[in-house]
């Protein structure tokens, strides 16, 4: 089961969120029929969005991440709710990029780095909050670190990883965000960096001991206290009613054409591949 664990150091100056997201990444792979490298790219964005979404702290709020780096995968869009349940879409799920190192999926190559990472936080009131930063490498974690530094002005260390097995299924996925809190001593950044280096690949730790092991490793020496654990999953919010109202909001000319053709209208959800069919009589 996928979960997010939030913790704070014993002295209250370091916070960390860790996530195990194997199920989320595997479901995304199945929904979209994604190639291994796109599974890794989309899985990393889903993992990041889930952790960030879980910090929204308002019921009904949502977070949308959009990445377009000009690579063969095309645009990636991921939406999270306020708990961290996520859904995602990628323009070209079967895209490939040659490996740069043996056995290492070239996520930066398939995403591209000529473009932006944008984040929209919608709290259901007034204007949504929007932030954006230029992509650094298309490898996702570095791009989010740059986003945090620019838009939220918080120095954060983060890692988001997806380990794809030989049969193309997801073997492990997840990551973390760790950051000093206001008032922390300067040396704390070095201590965090040491933990990041000692932890190594997040997916290897997750494979061995799940989210709890990852938390222990990244918060080593900080005496972490767990504040919250929540189950998260790949979850779409589409419904027949929503799609019908979307169809009804098409322009009058298009609706008229559909009525004249007299054929049922088929709509497919781009996040979960659910198909909804509407009869002409339902178009009012
Ligand atoms: Zn759906």
């Amino acid at each position: 089961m996928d979960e997010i664990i939030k913790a704070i150091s014993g002295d209250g100056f370091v916070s960390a969120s860790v996530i195990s997201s194997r199920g989320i990444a595997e479901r995304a792979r199945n929904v979209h029929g994604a190639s291994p490298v796109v599974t890794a790219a989309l899985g990393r964005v889903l993992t990041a969005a889930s952790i960030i979404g879980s910090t929204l702290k308002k019921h009904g709020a949502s977070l949308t991440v959009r990445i377009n780096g000009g690579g063969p995968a095309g645009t990636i869009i991921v939406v999270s709710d306020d708990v961290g349940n996520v859904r995602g879409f990628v323009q070209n799920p079967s895209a490939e990029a040659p490996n740069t190192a043996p056995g290492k999926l070239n996520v930066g190559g398939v995403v591209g780095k000529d473009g932006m990472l944008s984040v929209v936080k919608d709290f259901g009131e007034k204007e949504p909050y929007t932030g954006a930063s230029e992509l650094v490498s298309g490898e996702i974690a570095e791009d989010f670190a740059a986003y945090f530094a620019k838009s939220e002005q918080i120095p954060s260390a983060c890692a988001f990883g997806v380990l794809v097995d030989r049969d193309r299924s997801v073997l492990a996925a997840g990551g973390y965000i760790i950051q000093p809190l206001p008032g922390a001593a300067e040396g704390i950044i070095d201590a965090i960096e040491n933990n990041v280096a000692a932890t190594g690949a997040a997916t290897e730790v997750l494979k061995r001991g799940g989210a709890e092991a990852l938390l222990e490793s990244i918060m080593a020496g900080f005496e972490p206290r767990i504040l919250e654990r929540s189950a998260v999953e790949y979850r779409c919010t589409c419904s027949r009613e929503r799609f019908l109202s979307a169809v009804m909001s098409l322009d009058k000319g298009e609706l008229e054409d559909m009525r004249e053709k007299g054929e049922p209208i088929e709509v497919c959800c781009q996040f979960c591949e659910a198909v909804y069919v509407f009869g002409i009589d339902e178009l009012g």
Side-chain angles (χ1 to χ4, degrees):
M1 190 189 67
D2 292 348
E3 64 172 342
I4 293 176
I5 307 179
K6 291 182 185 164
I8 192 158
S9 61
D11 64 8
F13 286 126
V14 182
S15 84
S17 293
V18 303
I19 179 171
S20 165
S21 56
R22 194 200 71 81
I24 288 171
E26 176 66 4
R27 174 98 167 92
R29 176 180 85 89
N30 286 315
V31 163
H32 299 291
S35 67
V37 66
V38 171
T39 298
L42 181 58
R44 286 183 193 178
V45 184
L46 286 160
T47 300
S50 176
I51 284 200
I52 305 167
S54 75
T55 64
L56 293 174
K57 295 192 177 88
K58 181 174 189 288
H59 185 65
S62 71
L63 172 127
T64 303
V65 174
R66 189 188 173 92
I67 292 179
N68 191 338
T75 303
I76 296 174
I77 297 171
V78 167
V79 183
S80 174
D81 67 14
D82 62 298
V83 176
N85 298 304
V86 278
R87 57 193 188 273
F89 162 79
V90 55
Q91 215 171 357
N92 304 310
S94 56
E96 300 280 358
N99 289 1
T100 44
K104 196 181 175 305
L105 294 169
N106 186 1
V107 171
V110 86
V111 172
K113 59 178 178 175
D114 300 317
M116 305 292 288
L117 180 163
S118 77
V119 175
V120 176
K121 294 177 181 174
D122 191 343
F123 296 94
E125 56 195 22
K126 300 181 225 154
E127 285 288 290
Y129 162 88
T130 309
S133 61
E134 278 178 30
L135 294 174
V136 176
S137 63
E139 290 281 334
I140 309 303
E142 279 177 341
D143 305 305
F144 272 99
Y147 165 78
F148 291 132
K150 179 173 180 273
S151 297
E152 315 210 329
Q153 281 150 19
I154 308 167
S156 307
C158 59
F160 309 112
V162 177
L163 193 60
V164 180
D165 209 350
R166 284 187 190 170
D167 66 1
R168 299 185 148 220
S169 67
V170 177
L171 199 55
Y176 58 80
I177 297 179
I178 177 167
Q179 53 195 203
L181 296 173
E186 273 188 23
I188 221 156
I189 304 254
D190 293 335
I192 289 174
E193 279 171 4
N194 287 341
N195 282 5
V196 168
T199 298
T203 46
E204 291 298 329
V205 183
L206 286 162
K207 203 170 67 173
R208 285 198 305 271
E212 217 156 294
L214 184 57
L215 178 71
E216 274 169 31
S217 177
I218 202 70
M219 288 287 266
F222 290 132
E223 297 166 9
R225 193 159 52 83
I226 292 178
L227 302 174
E228 201 183 318
R229 301 181 82 121
S230 16
V232 289
E233 63 178 9
Y234 191 101
R235 187 187 291 174
C236 194
T237 55
C238 69
S239 68
R240 209 181 145 71
E241 290 68 33
R242 274 193 195 202
F243 271 98
L244 181 58
S245 64
V247 171
M248 296 300 286
S249 68
L250 292 172
D251 76 49
K252 287 209 173 88
E254 273 182 82
L255 280 173
E256 202 47 50
D257 287 349
M258 289 175 175
R259 284 196 196 94
E260 267 171 32
K261 273 192 194 152
E263 285 166 16
I265 293 145
E266 203 175 284
V267 209
C268 178
C269 173
Q270 61 180 10
F271 289 109
C272 74
E273 308 275 288
V275 175
Y276 298 95
V277 182
F278 302 104
I280 290 299
D281 51 320
E282 289 180 86
L283 299 186

